[in-house]
Amino acid sequence: EYPLFKELMRQTVESLNSAVAYTSDPKLLNTKTAVKAKSSAVSSRSGLDAVYSVLTGGADQGVLPPAQVRRLEARIAATADDTDTRIRLVRHYISYEVRETPAVAKARLTHRLWFVRNRPEVTKYIIYGIFGRPDSKESGEYQTLRDEWLRQVAADKNNKAIRLNAMEFVEEIEPEVAKKILSDGRTVDAAAYEFPFHLARLVRSEIDAPDKKLDAEQRSKLNREVLEYGRIALVLIKKERSSERDPDRGELLVNLVRIAGQERDLQLAESLGRELVIDFGSDINSAAYSEGSHIGNIALGTVELSRGNVEKAAEHLLVSIKAPLRNTRGYFTNIDFSLAKDLFRK
């Protein structure tokens, strides 16, 4: 992905390049040349390389030379808990540029397994960065790691971080296993909002799965499941108001208000829409400002239209478009046309 990323960045900033004509004092030419010669030796990495490194958390280390891999493996043999070295080796072994051999597969599994057994609370982004080789349900590597994650959860049932990391490991490949991990978590810690929050997410992903065909009854059943888990999570998440929880609350409100509208639970849609507008659609500096002001007003307009207040509904539609556009530093995507369509039919 790295060359493609660099090309994308180049094209993105190309339109911002400009040339300025000027004449300089000839006396400065020698100085300019000297400075240029000096600066060229400072670093061989371009600005795009540096940007990419920041975005990937250093995951762009590339393939390590064989001699360096051997040195790092020797360091691990001498100091097993050298996590930084293990992370470098894991990121090397998961690279698509490394030819897959039995030795590579064994080494990769060894290091990944060590992290599950010895550092189960560490998130996958710290270990793998934002890129990683996807696992397959049929692979022995995935099955070994999954079984170890389940053992870690069983050994420390009250550890929320381990449970959530285990859930994250299996959720895309075995969502039913992920649901059980979360459901068991609710039994042990009913006050943790993360468990119903992620259950709502998992059910929502079933609804949105492009390869899954749902009839109206099946979709409605899953919608009600999302509402059930989501409302529980919302009550729990609001017991402690904080900037750390706000992103999850904003995401939850957006998903719930949409589903409440689909299920024609207009009382709930109005309540959630108002909360979105007040808490996320009023502060232009909020990360959720655009989506909060848009989706919240769409929900409130839909409720007004159901009451026959066409003018009020039209006002909310107008605000739902104008408010997000006030934020010139943000972006405004995924426009909801449902209210516009309903008004057009009127």
Side-chain angles (χ1 to χ4, degrees), residues 102-116:
V104 165
K106 181 180 178 182
R108 184 175 61 239
L109 174 59
T110 298
H111 292 301
R112 294 180 74 189
L113 198 56
W114 184 91
F115 276 107
V116 180

Side-chain angles (χ1 to χ4, degrees), residues 82-100:
D82 184 346
T83 55
D84 289 341
T85 297
R86 280 194 191 273
I87 287 172
R88 294 188 67 190
L89 285 167
V90 168
R91 292 182 178 187
H92 166 78
Y93 289 128
I94 66 173
S95 171
Y96 286 105
E97 297 178 46
V98 174
R99 189 168 64 89
E100 184 75 351

Side-chain angles (χ1 to χ4, degrees), residues 295-316:
I295 299 300
N297 276 289
I298 291 293
L300 295 175
T302 302
V303 172
E304 291 296 345
L305 190 60
S306 73
R307 295 169 178 162
N309 299 332
V310 178
E311 272 190 45
K312 193 69 176 171
E315 284 178 22
H316 279 295

Side-chain angles (χ1 to χ4, degrees), residues 6-61:
K6 289 182 69 174
E7 176 60 19
L8 174 64
M9 291 294 289
R10 186 192 66 75
Q11 292 179 16
T12 302
V13 301
E14 191 172 28
S15 62
L16 302 177
N17 293 337
S18 60
V20 179
Y22 70 98
T23 57
S24 62
D25 185 340
K27 294 178 182 177
L28 298 176
L29 289 177
N30 289 336
T31 305
K32 182 179 178 183
T33 303
V35 170
K36 184 175 181 181
K38 183 179 180 182
S39 63
S40 64
V42 171
S43 172
S44 61
R45 287 180 66 84
S46 70
L48 293 181
D49 289 321
V51 170
Y52 184 85
S53 182
V54 170
L55 290 176
T56 58
D60 62 324
Q61 66 174 21

